[in-house]
Amino acid sequence: MTIAENTMKRPFLPSLSRKAGATLALTLSLLVSGAYAKVDESARYEPVAPTIDQARANILIARQLQFTHFRNLGISDDLSGDVFDAYLNYLDSQRVYLTQQDIDTLSRVKRHLGSALKTGQLQPGFDIYNLVQQRVIERLKFALHLLDDGINEMDFSQDDQILVDRSEANWEADSAALDDLWVRRIKNAVLAQRLNGSDDDAIEENLRRRYEGQLKRAYQARSEDAFQAYMNAFTGMWDPHTSYFSPRTSENFNINMSLSLEGIGAVLQSDNEYTKVVRLVPGGPASKQGQLQPADRIVSVAQGEDKAVNVIGWRLDEVVDLIRGPRNSTVSLEVIPANAADETITRTIAIKRDEVKLEEQSASKEVIQLDRNGQTYRIGVIDIPTFYADFQAMQAGDPNYKSTTRDVRKLISELKADGVDGLVMDLRNNGGGALHEANDLVGLFIDKGPTVQIRNANNDVQVLEDGDPSVVYDGPLVVLVNRMSASASEIFAGAIQDYGRGLVVGSQTFGKGTVQAVRPLNHGQLKITQSKFYRVSGGSTQHKGVIPDIEIPSRIDKARIGEDALDHALPWDQIEAVPHARYFDFTNVIDELRQRHGERFNSSPEFKLLQEEIAFLNQQRKTDFVSLNLDKRKAHHNQIEQTRLSIANARRELRGEEPFADLEALEDWQNQQAADLDSGDEEMDFIIREGGHIMADMLELDQRMASILAPSRYTAKAEAP
């Protein structure tokens, strides 16, 4: 009999003592049978069980993690506890289904999970899953009974409140305490919808549809749901980018990356019971429409004028199937905005589906003109949404295939012909792409030399180099980045900074400095981190990202978006630098450049508006509790909405446009953006202009720079700083 077959017959570990195994089995059987909490006898939930294929896949995953992952991490008793905590966090992230009594009892299996996972014995994880599903069913039935009593009977005059984020809250002591919490949760949901203008009948129908949908999903739980959740709690111990794909997810692997084919063009991932937006695909419908943002969480999906379908608790692939649809049709997403004060504040975004075309992701250029102190500067700007290459055309031998480097080379030639004084490369919101394109792009700006180092789990280091001694552009250079600049963008920006080839301006980048490979299993696939990027100066781009030479504040919440915001992210470290040229030393001018930038921004109305917006968002993010008193909640809601309106109108005033009369007018205008994908909000981008001003400062402060960077006069000195 194989180990996997033995797993199906014996639920627990042969390595445990007979007494320990019996205790473990008794513990979980008592929980599932309801000895510790009353289970509704009318429930039709059928407990799910592991399969032989899943057990074999578990063994393969454990081996791959131990012997091929970049991080050297063994499967120990300490890991057992971390897997247990991560698994419960996935199944009950807001701590609204399980009680402290449940946790105390389940904790008896905590120290055994590692050994079980090492040998493919899945039953302990499945028993935990089944117990949580039963608790979910109990809670949803409780919620539906409350709705049966009528929401008009609820009292909103008391001075009560509810914690917004319960991810780190204590577990409620028992079922009675959970009952009280769920009463407050439903009151909170009712209040939020009342303040959005819904009447009680519509609210009750909406909530009933939500809870009944979740209840239906709980009853339809599949063995694969439990296995995927359990394996991802396990693989996530190594790093957040290592994950298990079920056979269904593997068939639709690109779904996890983007909905680029007749969809909305958004990168989605599961975030506990929600589907979260990770990033937007450049040139895609969502990006062009402009309202959907990273870290927004999807609550419901509606087709055209149909009623919205609540998708809380749905599997990622099912949400994706619902969002995808025919080109030119409209899908409406109800989302919890990333900056929402609590999970009951939602907005609906209508997006016209379309196909993301390669040409719409291509690099583009413009020339901005700056008049300063009687002198005019012409600054070329190249926007690079992603690092792309038409691999199919390349493999077919098409001499005119599209790629980032080929397109930028052409754009630079056109800008040089236009007589620009300097160049701004805009990599904001560029999530990366083809690694070789980042390498080749660096080569347009340097003579020759290394661009990035890649270290694998065996500490072998590969150095990618630009071997072409030609330089396409040798003038002054500024690279714009933000928190959504990741991976290949960080490689390019880091190399430009290390070479002293230009200044990096903006906010700290994402910090994605790892490389993954997808490996087939007997059942599904494993995406595993196998190597790590390092700059030519030796520092990793992992975790820290690239720190700009001149920083500009951002609306993006670094605490929620970025590698350092992810659990178990690989740490920053460094290896030896490799010899590389140093084209210019900004040490003598950087302080003056920062001072000029600061003075300019402090007097800029656009920057003052940005600061006001960031302060507003930070205040929202700091909200721990929301009131369940109608009058207090209404006052708070009105304050938030008026601030939104005032910021929107201040921006319109800067653009010379008529202000919105009220919030309804603002929302109507936002909804109209979905009607035409090319009618997005063309907000004045003062960040680009500031990049141009920094360029002009560089030229004014040190006229030597132009001569130093001239190809006939500079000397590239190899060094390893």
Side-chain angles (χ1 to χ4, degrees):
M1 180 181 294
T2 66
I3 294 176
E5 289 168 339
N6 187 50
T7 303
M8 300 304 102
K9 295 182 178 295
R10 292 185 60 191
F12 303 110
L13 315 184
S15 58
L16 296 179
S17 69
R18 186 180 303 273
K19 181 178 179 181
T23 301
L24 183 58
L26 177 61
T27 294
L28 290 172
S29 64
L30 284 173
L31 278 170
V32 174
S33 66
Y36 284 83
K38 183 179 180 181
V39 177
D40 191 337
E41 295 298 330
S42 66
R44 300 176 184 175
Y45 176 73
E46 293 293 332
V48 296
T51 67
I52 293 176
D53 283 343
Q54 289 168 348
R56 289 171 174 159
N58 173 202
I59 294 172
L60 291 174
I61 289 170
R63 289 174 180 169
Q64 295 267 17
L65 292 172
Q66 290 181 95
F67 302 118
T68 65
H69 193 281
F70 186 87
R71 173 176 263 161
N72 182 17
L73 184 65
I75 301 177
S76 63
D77 290 343
D78 289 340
L79 186 75
S80 297
D82 292 338
V83 172
F84 177 84
D85 293 339
Y87 190 35
L88 287 184
N89 184 58
Y90 178 85
L91 296 175
D92 188 8
S93 64
Q94 289 297 304
R95 306 189 174 194
V96 295
Y97 300 120
L98 298 175
T99 66
Q100 186 60 53
Q101 292 176 347
D102 292 331
I103 300 303
D104 291 343
T105 306
L106 287 175
S107 292
R108 300 173 194 174
V109 311
K110 192 172 184 175
R111 62 190 178 91
H112 303 303
L113 294 184
S115 299
L117 285 164
K118 198 172 184 178
T119 53
Q121 302 197 46
L122 296 169
Q123 194 62 49
F126 272 67
D127 286 340
I128 293 172
Y129 183 88
N130 286 325
L131 183 276
V132 174
Q133 288 303 107
Q134 292 209 26
R135 295 295 186 259
V136 168
I137 290 171
E138 292 171 10
R139 285 297 116 203
L140 293 173
K141 286 181 174 293
F142 178 82
L144 288 169
H145 287 318
L146 285 179
L147 294 180
D148 288 339
D149 294 336
I151 61 177
N152 59 317
E153 298 297 322
M154 294 181 177
D155 183 5
F156 295 98
S157 64
Q158 301 297 315
D159 193 13
D160 199 3
Q161 60 182 7
I162 188 170
L163 182 64
V164 173
D165 180 8
R166 289 185 48 82
S167 60
E168 297 183 4
N170 294 327
W171 300 94
E172 296 296 341
D174 50 32
S175 293
L178 267 188
D179 288 349
D180 177 67
L181 173 61
W182 272 79
V183 169
R184 284 182 283 128
R185 280 170 59 85
I186 294 175
K187 289 175 69 174
N188 188 33
V190 171
L191 263 182
Q193 294 189 48
R194 278 185 181 175
L195 294 175
N196 285 333
S198 299
D199 60 36
D200 282 359
D201 289 340
I203 294 171
E204 183 174 335
E205 180 186 359
N206 184 29
L207 292 179
R208 187 176 297 280
R209 213 165 49 236
R210 175 187 301 182
Y211 297 136
E212 286 178 347
Q214 290 179 254
L215 189 60
K216 180 180 178 182
R217 294 279 152 187
Y219 283 139
Q220 294 176 343
R222 304 177 304 194
S223 174
E224 199 58 45
D225 298 333
F227 183 63
Q228 183 158 294
Y230 195 30
M231 285 303 99
N232 280 324
F234 180 41
T235 61
M237 295 298 101
W238 275 258
D239 85 304
H241 303 291
T242 295
S243 58
Y244 167 74
F245 295 159
S246 69
R248 167 76 185 275
T249 307
S250 299
E251 290 174 7
N252 298 282
F253 178 60
N254 285 336
I255 286 174
N256 288 357
M257 302 299 177
S258 69
L259 306 178
S260 58
L261 181 61
E262 294 186 346
I264 62 171
V267 181
L268 306 177
Q269 73 178 30
S270 293
D271 182 25
N272 299 312
E273 61 184 354
Y274 290 102
T275 297
K276 184 174 75 173
V277 178
V278 179
R279 65 178 176 86
L280 304 180
V281 177
S287 176
K288 295 168 79 174
Q289 197 265 359
Q291 290 179 258
L292 195 66
Q293 297 296 321
D296 285 355
R297 288 170 291 171
I298 300 173
V299 174
S300 67
V301 179
Q303 313 296 334
E305 300 298 324
D306 294 345
K307 279 189 175 182
V309 177
N310 188 278
V311 295
I312 297 175
W314 282 36
R315 291 178 286 271
L316 177 63
D317 54 357
E318 293 179 332
V319 178
V320 167
D321 287 342
L322 206 57
I323 294 175
R324 297 169 98 179
R327 184 179 179 183
N328 293 325
S329 62
T330 299
V331 61
S332 295
L333 306 180
E334 181 189 5
V335 303
I336 301 170
N339 59 354
D342 66 83
E343 293 183 349
T344 62
I345 295 177
T346 65
R347 66 184 303 190
T348 300
I349 301 171
I351 302 172
K352 187 189 293 183
R353 298 180 177 103
D354 199 0
E355 184 176 355
V356 181
K357 302 178 180 65
L358 181 61
E359 57 267 26
E360 292 178 338
Q361 301 184 34
S362 300
S364 60
K365 70 174 174 68
E366 66 174 315
V367 177
I368 60 175
Q369 186 166 300
L370 302 175
D371 297 316
R372 297 169 31 127
N373 304 320
Q375 186 170 355
T376 298
Y377 294 90
R378 290 172 55 78
I379 308 297
V381 180
I382 295 181
D383 177 34
I384 304 179
T386 185
F387 284 87
Y388 56 88
D390 189 342
F391 293 106
Q392 186 174 0
M394 187 191 310
Q395 293 170 354
D398 184 350
N400 298 313
Y401 73 89
K402 289 184 66 63
S403 76
T404 301
T405 305
R406 292 164 67 97
D407 290 349
V408 170
R409 182 190 296 269
K410 180 181 178 182
L411 295 175
I412 289 175
S413 297
E414 294 172 357
L415 289 171
K416 287 167 69 175
D418 287 341
V420 297
D421 298 300
L423 181 62
V424 174
M425 300 288 285
D426 190 356
L427 297 182
R428 291 172 302 163
N429 302 317
N430 184 321
L435 173 60
H436 75 271
E437 287 299 318
N439 176 70
D440 293 347
L441 191 66
V442 175
L444 301 184
F445 302 94
I446 65 171
D447 182 0
K448 61 180 179 179
T451 59
V452 66
Q453 304 184 75
I454 306 172
R455 180 165 72 102
N456 65 21
N458 295 324
N459 290 323
D460 297 325
V461 178
Q462 175 190 7
V463 180
L464 298 188
E465 297 196 19
D466 165 47
D468 184 355
S470 65
V471 177
V472 175
Y473 178 76
D474 53 55
L477 179 66
V478 166
V479 179
L480 294 180
V481 296
N482 67 0
R483 189 62 163 175
M484 299 308 298
S485 303
S487 195
S489 295
E490 297 173 292
I491 290 171
F492 177 82
I496 294 298
Q497 194 176 58
D498 287 341
Y499 274 91
R501 184 57 191 82
L503 283 178
V504 178
V505 175
S507 53
Q508 181 183 9
T509 61
F510 192 93
K512 170 68 164 64
T514 56
V515 185
Q516 287 72 42
V518 177
R519 298 180 178 174
L521 304 167
N522 68 301
H523 184 79
Q525 294 176 307
L526 177 68
K527 180 162 69 80
I528 188 168
T529 297
Q530 61 180 13
S531 52
K532 201 170 179 182
F533 290 130
Y534 293 83
R535 294 163 58 157
V536 295
S537 56
S540 176
T541 58
Q542 169 64 15
H543 208 277
K544 283 187 179 181
V546 177
I547 306 299
D549 301 295
I550 297 178
E551 295 204 39
I552 295 177
S554 170
R555 302 178 184 90
I556 299 173
D557 184 4
K558 290 171 58 176
R560 298 185 63 180
I561 298 177
E563 189 77 7
D564 54 1
L566 301 176
D567 291 335
H568 305 289
L570 292 179
W572 179 90
D573 64 343
Q574 59 184 13
I575 59 177
E576 288 187 13
V578 290
H580 59 280
R582 187 75 180 172
Y583 289 87
F584 188 77
D585 184 359
F586 291 97
T587 304
N588 295 329
V589 296
I590 192 63
D591 288 341
E592 181 67 17
L593 287 172
R594 289 170 179 159
Q595 181 180 339
R596 288 193 178 197
H597 158 73
E599 291 173 352
R600 193 162 44 244
F601 256 34
N602 288 335
S603 62
S604 164
E606 292 101 330
F607 182 57
K608 289 179 180 177
L609 180 58
L610 175 63
Q611 287 180 309
E612 180 182 343
E613 198 168 358
I614 291 173
F616 168 64
L617 294 175
N618 286 338
Q619 182 181 10
Q620 295 297 99
R621 293 161 185 157
K622 291 178 181 178
T623 301
D624 293 327
F625 291 87
V626 292
S627 175
L628 298 179
N629 178 282
L630 177 60
D631 294 335
K632 289 184 178 180
R633 186 66 167 272
K634 187 180 294 185
H636 179 66
H637 179 81
N638 290 339
Q639 180 187 10
I640 292 174
E641 299 296 72
Q642 287 304 311
T643 303
R644 275 185 58 205
L645 180 62
S646 66
I647 290 173
N649 280 338
R651 181 168 291 119
R652 287 179 71 83
E653 183 179 348
L654 287 174
R655 296 161 52 184
E657 298 176 353
E658 286 291 322
F660 297 112
D662 50 34
L663 198 66
E664 184 177 356
L666 167 61
E667 291 176 345
D668 287 344
W669 177 83
Q670 289 174 332
N671 291 334
Q672 289 170 6
Q673 303 308 295
D676 184 354
L677 291 178
D678 296 319
S679 66
D681 182 9
E682 298 294 336
E683 177 184 333
M684 288 188 301
D685 197 338
F686 73 100
I687 304 296
I688 290 179
R689 293 204 312 274
E690 179 59 21
H693 279 296
I694 292 172
M695 180 83 64
D697 289 340
M698 290 160 59
L699 295 172
E700 290 176 0
L701 285 174
D702 195 336
Q703 291 299 325
R704 293 173 301 167
M705 184 173 182
S707 62
I708 291 174
L709 290 177
S712 61
R713 299 179 64 179
Y714 81 78
T715 301
K717 182 180 179 182
E719 56 181 63

